Amino acid sequence: MTLTAVKILVVDDEPPIRRLLRVGLATQDYAVSEAGNGRSAQDMVRTELPDLILLDLGLPDIPGHDLLREWRDEGLTLPIIILSSRTDEAGIVRALDFGADDYVTKPFGMNELVARIRVALRHRLQQQGEKPLFHTGGLSVDLVKRSVRVDGREVKLSPKEYDILRILVQHAGKVLTHQFLLKQVWANTADVQYLRVYVRQLRQKIEVSPDQPQYITTETGVGYRLREADI
């Protein structure tokens, strides 16, 4: 482990989960600290600010949702990924709306979790120094010229289609809830069905196979995720 290792705080009340994460993440050269409840997590964030938090929603003392909202209200901008055994869409959407960067449901594969961690860390860096030109696979978006190309061919989008794609580009790799997208594009004045229609139209223009999208994927009942940028 190097002196510049990324510091990850694991907040989970299950010792076997903490042990799994400590061992698994250490093999990827992450520096892992642990908190078994919400109060310990609060103290650790105040005294030793991590680079990323893995947060369980079902803590014994303070609900994970409350911790998440508290940290975001205090201006904490570091990536927070939810770990939860819950599969209810409402709980996941609520966490994302409160400011979570991503979520992974238990049981999870370590490779998937590490990939999500890398995306969340990269996304924060991109936000701090956002690049005007975005590339992923054959899709390229120039945020300055407002131009979109697929495999070198220019694609004409409607203003709303472009607005949706622009927001997805700015948060590439992160799942965005329906509510977040509606607020950004329509100021919450439209129904989610409008969003589905425009995403379908957008896919028809940028995807090779709109019914099996490789760029804009659906998080069932939650929202959409744009594939992260090529390195």
Side-chain angles (χ1 to χ4, degrees), residues 79-93:
I80 299 176
I81 296 177
I82 297 301
L83 295 179
S84 179
S85 56
R86 303 181 185 182
T87 57
D88 63 295
E89 295 166 358
I92 291 170
V93 170

Side-chain angles (χ1 to χ4, degrees), residues 4-223:
T4 57
V6 172
K7 296 180 292 184
I8 296 180
L9 173 60
V10 175
V11 185
D12 197 297
D13 65 329
E14 299 181 62
I17 294 292
R18 296 202 305 272
R19 183 168 58 252
L20 169 68
L21 292 170
R22 181 176 66 249
V23 174
L25 294 175
T27 64
Q28 301 294 320
D29 288 333
Y30 292 113
V32 180
S33 55
E34 305 171 32
N37 56 56
R39 289 184 178 83
S40 296
Q42 288 173 321
D43 293 339
M44 295 179 75
V45 167
R46 292 190 190 103
T47 60
E48 186 179 344
L49 189 66
D51 296 304
L52 181 143
I53 298 174
L54 297 177
L55 175 64
D56 178 31
L57 293 179
L59 299 173
D61 54 348
I62 304 175
H65 284 105
D66 291 351
L67 265 182
L68 175 61
R69 181 166 54 181
E70 173 189 311
W71 283 331
R72 290 308 191 214
D73 287 347
E74 291 175 352
L76 195 68
T77 60
L78 59 83
I80 299 176
I81 296 177
I82 297 301
L83 295 179
S84 179
S85 56
R86 303 181 185 182
T87 57
D88 63 295
E89 295 166 358
I92 291 170
V93 170
R94 186 179 173 211
L96 292 169
D97 283 340
F98 281 170
D101 288 77
D102 209 337
Y103 68 94
V104 178
T105 54
K106 302 174 183 176
F108 52 83
M110 187 57 63
N111 289 340
E112 177 191 3
L113 177 60
V114 169
R116 297 290 181 89
I117 288 172
R118 288 172 178 162
V119 169
L121 290 169
R122 192 177 303 129
H123 177 243
R124 288 293 171 172
L125 289 174
Q126 289 172 344
Q127 283 188 314
Q128 293 168 7
E130 188 175 307
K131 296 180 179 180
L133 194 59
F134 173 85
H135 288 283
T136 182
L139 174 67
S140 64
V141 181
D142 190 320
L143 295 174
V144 175
K145 297 180 179 179
R146 296 175 63 90
S147 66
V148 179
R149 291 181 176 274
V150 177
D151 297 327
R153 172 181 54 86
E154 187 170 3
V155 176
K156 298 295 185 182
L157 302 181
S158 71
K160 280 289 188 286
E161 290 166 354
Y162 178 79
D163 285 343
I164 293 169
L165 183 59
R166 173 181 55 81
I167 294 165
L168 288 167
V169 164
Q170 291 171 339
H171 299 274
K174 178 180 177 180
V175 58
L176 302 182
T177 66
H178 298 127
Q179 197 60 41
F180 177 85
L181 287 165
L182 286 171
K183 182 178 180 180
Q184 295 296 312
V185 179
W186 285 279
N188 274 339
T189 59
D191 186 86
V192 69
Q193 188 58 34
Y194 281 97
L195 176 61
R196 293 193 178 105
V197 168
Y198 277 102
V199 169
R200 183 165 61 247
Q201 292 174 178
L202 183 55
R203 281 173 170 161
Q204 288 171 348
K205 293 181 179 181
I206 69 172
E207 300 281 3
V208 175
S209 177
D211 293 332
Q212 296 179 312
Q214 60 175 318
Y215 298 126
I216 302 175
T217 56
T218 299
E219 297 285 332
T220 304
V222 179

